[in-house]
Amino acid sequence: MSVLTNLQTRAAATPARIVLSEGHDPRIVAAAVSAVAAGIATIILVGPTDEITKQLSDAGSAPSEDIRIEDPATSPLTAEVAQSYFELRQHKGVSMEIAEKQAQDPLVFAAMLVRNGHADGTVGGAVATTSDTVRAALQVIGKAKTAPLVSSFFLMVLPEGHPSGRGGMIYSDCGLVIDPSAEELAAIAQQSAASCTALMAEAPKVAMLSFSTKGSARHAKVDKVTEATALVKEQAPDLNVDGELQFDAAFVPSVGTSKAPGSDVAGHANVMIFPNLDAGNIGYKITQRIGGATAIGPVLQGLAKPANDLSRGCVAEDVLHMIAVTALQAAHG
């Protein structure tokens, strides 16, 4: 079973309530119809009722118990959203008047439905920018109490029949934390390992990436990765992690055996932890554009409840994948 098929099959085993903040967009509507048909989720579409109803009709569907429309301009939930937002943000100087205005923002409205228990997770960003989408998630849903930070990852799905024999990998952090400290890098590694288990149903093998393998180079940036590796081993002794490793040593078995003999991770890693956002962002885009991988993300991890971002260049199939990811995150708490 392919990674993407497995993702949808496992999501359908524990269907979630997912709110989509850009319900007027035809890509979002098409994905919503597909998600309901696949049994992955019930959907709340946020936006103008007339416009969404027309989009649903064009997609051969209609509002139902499985696809509900919530228009912030008319929804009975809007007053609750405004009050909750006011209570949440009044310490930042937000007045009730501002809260009522913010309740009309589809990103805020959707995130508040998740915070208040009306939905299990939210997806946006097909129209809105990443900064706006992530800001709403951070301000409204917030960081999980047990999480040291909020980070992100991409699920990289390799082309079928890839010479490596692999189906997919987790790349982190490629979208949020710019220059993590050793402590933050260790936290990102542990979050990403949990995401690997949740989404891929595989035992994580975590590679802490660098331009050095096992002391082949000396530099403060290498020291950060080795320190982070030591912290992960101390904080999560049962986690299979190794570093510092160059990408080829982490990915190619023969190179791993040569450069890091005796390592259970080298050559077999399925979770790649990049030392900073420069490396991570460049790395995932090279894998996507030259390697032909499908990149699903950025997926946020460390939030109190699931909220995820889409690329503005996404297609309906990308949205469907992200709905499945979000549903699985909700199922795994």
Side-chain angles (χ1 to χ4, degrees):
M1 186 182 295
S2 73
V3 172
L4 294 178
T5 301
N6 185 49
L7 188 72
Q8 293 190 28
T9 300
R10 292 178 58 243
T14 53
R17 301 166 300 163
I18 304 300
V19 55
L20 305 176
S21 58
E22 296 154 337
H24 64 287
D25 188 282
R27 297 167 295 175
I28 299 296
V29 171
V33 172
S34 295
V36 168
I40 293 171
T42 57
I43 300 294
I44 301 172
L45 295 170
V46 176
T49 300
D50 291 347
E51 191 172 350
I52 296 174
T53 300
K54 181 182 182 305
Q55 292 288 352
L56 282 169
S57 177
D58 290 346
S61 185
S64 66
E65 289 185 1
D66 292 329
I67 304 181
R68 195 171 96 229
I69 300 172
E70 292 292 347
D71 185 344
T74 59
S75 171
L77 294 173
T78 302
E80 175 191 324
V81 168
Q83 181 64 34
S84 296
Y85 190 84
F86 170 68
E87 293 171 2
L88 179 67
R89 303 289 295 170
Q90 61 180 323
H91 71 288
K92 293 287 189 181
V94 171
S95 65
M96 193 64 206
E97 182 181 0
I98 293 173
E100 289 171 347
K101 182 177 180 181
Q102 286 295 97
Q104 299 295 320
D105 183 323
L107 290 170
V108 171
F109 187 94
M112 193 59 78
L113 293 193
V114 176
R115 181 183 177 89
N116 287 359
H118 297 292
D120 301 310
T122 181
V123 176
V127 179
T129 64
T130 291
S131 60
D132 287 342
T133 305
V134 173
R135 185 184 304 110
L138 291 172
Q139 288 184 351
V140 175
I141 296 173
K143 183 175 71 66
K145 291 181 180 179
T146 57
L149 79 169
V150 175
S151 63
S152 75
F153 67 91
F154 279 82
L155 174 59
M156 304 299 298
V157 181
L158 299 184
E160 194 169 343
H162 191 273
S164 69
R166 296 165 189 253
M169 294 180 289
I170 298 290
Y171 277 24
S172 187
D173 185 336
C174 305
L176 194 59
V177 185
I178 295 173
D179 189 16
S181 64
E183 291 78 12
E184 290 171 330
L185 206 57
I188 290 168
Q190 292 170 69
Q191 289 177 337
S192 301
S195 294
C196 174
T197 301
L199 300 190
M200 295 171 58
E202 294 181 7
K205 294 187 176 184
V206 183
M208 308 295 285
L209 299 178
S210 175
F211 61 82
S212 169
T213 296
K214 299 293 186 179
S216 65
R218 295 181 181 275
H219 193 276
K221 293 190 179 297
V222 176
D223 294 341
K224 180 180 82 167
V225 177
T226 57
E227 182 183 348
T229 305
L231 285 170
V232 176
K233 290 180 177 180
E234 177 186 335
Q235 295 165 1
D238 294 332
L239 184 58
N240 202 359
V241 59
D242 203 2
E244 85 282 10
L245 296 172
Q246 292 162 287
F247 187 90
D248 58 350
F251 185 74
V252 182
S254 61
V255 178
T257 299
S258 172
K259 290 188 173 184
S263 172
D264 292 333
V265 173
H268 304 283
N270 55 6
V271 180
M272 303 291 189
I273 305 300
F274 292 85
N276 56 43
L277 193 58
D278 282 332
N281 192 269
I282 293 167
Y284 103 77
K285 290 187 175 181
I286 289 174
T287 305
Q288 178 187 32
R289 299 301 180 182
I290 296 180
T294 298
I296 301 174
V299 182
L300 302 181
Q301 51 190 4
L303 289 168
K305 295 181 180 180
N308 287 314
D309 183 31
L310 296 162
S311 165
R312 281 177 285 175
C314 67
V315 297
E317 189 176 21
D318 298 327
V319 183
L320 177 62
H321 297 329
M322 190 63 88
I323 292 171
V325 165
T326 308
L328 280 173
Q329 286 183 308
H332 283 77

